[in-house]
């Protein structure tokens, strides 16, 4: 299982780029504009014991202080032993992370699909109906496009000329990551979510990917039911620790 998690974590690092990347032991330190958690956090990629963990955390905190960003740790099953208790003792608070799910989806061609080269205004307008788009998050979505080193696409599904749903995918070998899946409120419970998954899986298959993966908030039960019904199963979870 740990090997599978490590492979998904590598795909995630490629799919969500950050312009500033440094290493501190087994921790990758990423920084962008302070918007999305994954692009602005420290995360371990090796679950083995780290005898110098406390001093390492101190250096990581100093790194983010130099950048003028809050120090945030993304905690996964690849953490070294003792990381979470150490952070809590140092005054960090746990914040919601995500459930990572994966599935082998059958590809589908959808006549409503319109493929874009980036997060264009129409695409962003659909996403804004389900996710708060602060200035930093929006700037990271737009500024991350030229940083991507893997094939990527942005999808809008239209009905009668109007955008009903949107999604984003990044292919990385056998994996196709699905992001920013959104359906306008007035279009929900009409099958658009399943259509998004099928169309993006079809694009991923064309890039050579056989496994789709996504991340969803633990409390988003409606989305989790949709993904489970489509064949997605939980692979692992992650959470954040942020300085109080």
């Amino acid at each position: 299982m740990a090997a599978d998690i490590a492979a998904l974590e590598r795909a995630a690092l490629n799919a969500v780029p950050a312009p500033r990347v440094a290493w501190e032991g087994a921790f990758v330190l990423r920084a962008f504009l302070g918007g999305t958690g994954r692009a602005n956090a420290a995360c371990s990629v090796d679950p083995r014991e780290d005898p110098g963990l406390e001093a390492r955390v101190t250096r990581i905190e100093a790194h983010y202080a130099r950048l003028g960003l809050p120090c945030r740790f993304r905690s996964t099953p690849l953490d070294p032993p003792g990381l979470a208790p150490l952070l809590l003792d140092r005054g960090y608070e746990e914040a919601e992370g995500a459930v990572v799910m994966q599935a082998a989806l059958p590809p589908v061609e959808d006549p409503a699909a319109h493929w874009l080269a980036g997060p264009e205004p129409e695409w962003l307008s659909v996403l804004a109906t389900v996710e708060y788009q602060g200035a930093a998050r929006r700037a990271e979505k737009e500024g991350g496009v030229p940083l991507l080193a893997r094939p990527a696409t942005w999808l809008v599904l239209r009905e009668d000329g109007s955008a009903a749903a949107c999604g984003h995918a990044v292919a990385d070998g056998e994996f196709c990551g699905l992001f920013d899946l959104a359906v306008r409120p007035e279009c929900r419970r009409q099958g658009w979510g399943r259509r998004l998954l099928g169309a993006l899986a079809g694009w991923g298959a064309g890039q050579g990917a056989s496994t789709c993966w996504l991340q969803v908030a633990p409390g988003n039960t409606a989305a989790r039911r949709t993904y489970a019904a489509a064949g997605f199963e939980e692979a692992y979870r992650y959470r954040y620790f942020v300085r109080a």
Side-chain angles (χ1 to χ4, degrees), residues 78-101:
L78 301 181
D79 286 352
L83 177 63
L86 173 61
L87 295 176
L88 292 173
D89 285 345
R90 294 171 76 99
Y92 285 77
E93 293 183 349
E94 183 177 340
E96 185 180 57
V99 180
V100 180
M101 307 179 76

Side-chain angles (χ1 to χ4, degrees), residues 119-202:
E120 297 180 8
E122 179 186 40
W123 186 92
L124 286 165
S125 72
V126 180
L127 185 61
T129 65
V130 300
E131 176 185 299
Y132 172 68
Q133 288 295 297
R137 290 180 69 87
R138 180 167 180 147
E140 286 183 355
K141 291 184 188 300
E142 295 172 330
V145 177
L147 301 176
L148 280 165
R150 296 293 188 267
T153 190
W154 288 258
L155 169 66
V156 168
L157 296 181
R158 293 179 185 154
E159 182 178 46
D160 298 328
S162 297
C166 75
H168 165 50
V170 180
D172 190 353
E174 67 177 293
F175 296 110
C176 181
L178 311 184
F179 302 91
D180 299 321
L181 304 170
V183 177
R184 286 192 182 277
E186 64 270 23
C187 299
R188 291 173 191 165
R189 295 182 174 84
Q190 299 174 28
W192 289 102
R194 291 291 295 270
R195 290 174 66 176
L196 267 179
L197 296 173
L200 290 170

Side-chain angles (χ1 to χ4, degrees), residues 13-242:
L13 291 172
N14 285 333
V16 184
R20 292 178 289 188
V21 179
W23 288 88
E24 172 58 54
F27 286 83
V28 57
L29 319 181
R30 289 151 50 83
F32 207 162
L33 300 174
T36 58
R38 190 182 283 270
N40 296 275
C43 186
S44 173
V45 296
D46 189 339
R48 290 178 294 183
E49 187 81 33
D50 184 354
L53 182 60
E54 187 167 2
R56 197 176 307 287
V57 168
T58 297
R59 291 193 293 272
I60 292 171
E61 291 171 342
H63 171 80
Y64 283 99
R66 285 192 298 271
L67 297 179
L69 293 172
C71 189
R72 176 190 288 138
F73 285 82
R74 194 170 64 84
S75 174
T76 79
L78 301 181
D79 286 352
L83 177 63
L86 173 61
L87 295 176
L88 292 173
D89 285 345
R90 294 171 76 99
Y92 285 77
E93 293 183 349
E94 183 177 340
E96 185 180 57
V99 180
V100 180
M101 307 179 76
Q102 61 180 349
L105 297 183
V108 177
E109 290 189 13
D110 195 314
H114 295 265
W115 303 97
L116 310 174
E120 297 180 8
E122 179 186 40
W123 186 92
L124 286 165
S125 72
V126 180
L127 185 61
T129 65
V130 300
E131 176 185 299
Y132 172 68
Q133 288 295 297
R137 290 180 69 87
R138 180 167 180 147
E140 286 183 355
K141 291 184 188 300
E142 295 172 330
V145 177
L147 301 176
L148 280 165
R150 296 293 188 267
T153 190
W154 288 258
L155 169 66
V156 168
L157 296 181
R158 293 179 185 154
E159 182 178 46
D160 298 328
S162 297
C166 75
H168 165 50
V170 180
D172 190 353
E174 67 177 293
F175 296 110
C176 181
L178 311 184
F179 302 91
D180 299 321
L181 304 170
V183 177
R184 286 192 182 277
E186 64 270 23
C187 299
R188 291 173 191 165
R189 295 182 174 84
Q190 299 174 28
W192 289 102
R194 291 291 295 270
R195 290 174 66 176
L196 267 179
L197 296 173
L200 290 170
W203 176 86
Q207 302 294 322
S210 57
T211 299
C212 291
W213 67 273
L214 51 79
Q215 51 195 15
V216 57
N220 192 344
T221 55
R224 290 177 63 188
R225 282 197 298 267
T226 296
Y227 301 147
F232 280 88
E233 296 181 348
E234 181 174 334
Y236 64 100
R237 298 186 180 205
Y238 66 83
R239 52 187 173 161
Y240 287 100
F241 287 95
V242 184

